[in-house]
Amino acid sequence: MKEKFLSWLNLILVFDVFLVLFGFGWLAIAVIGKASGVPLGLDLWYKLWQPVFNPAIGILMGGAIVSGIINWISRKFQSS
């Protein structure tokens, strides 16, 4: 069961990484567009920050910590 849980957790984290990278790329392009006077969705990005990108970053960090702890505990018990 642990292996199945870790497999699903890693799959979710992979999708989450791409969501976070997409959000960062969008932010970078939108800021460059704002600086040059071209509207590229910075206002929409700000509206999506709180409900989408902020939780995605939190899930990514929390999931990475949980995955690391589970792997550390597994290695600790297997070596004993």
Side-chain angles (χ1 to χ4, degrees):
M1 179 160 157
K2 178 191 70 126
E3 296 301 323
K4 190 164 185 97
F5 172 74
L6 283 177
S7 174
W8 278 102
L9 179 63
N10 288 333
L11 183 65
I12 290 169
L13 290 177
V14 167
F15 287 125
D16 198 37
V17 164
F18 285 111
L19 176 64
V20 170
L21 289 176
F22 170 75
F24 176 71
W26 181 6
L27 175 64
I29 291 169
V31 167
I32 292 169
K34 178 92 170 177
S36 61
V38 179
L40 294 175
L42 186 59
D43 294 332
L44 178 60
W45 190 91
Y46 280 137
K47 289 179 186 174
L48 292 175
W49 166 250
Q50 202 65 345
V52 177
F53 298 119
N54 200 358
I57 293 170
I59 290 169
L60 182 63
M61 292 187 328
I65 290 170
V66 167
S67 179
I69 289 172
I70 290 172
N71 285 330
W72 179 74
I73 290 172
S74 295
R75 276 188 269 126
K76 200 81 159 155
F77 283 119
Q78 286 176 355
S79 66
S80 296

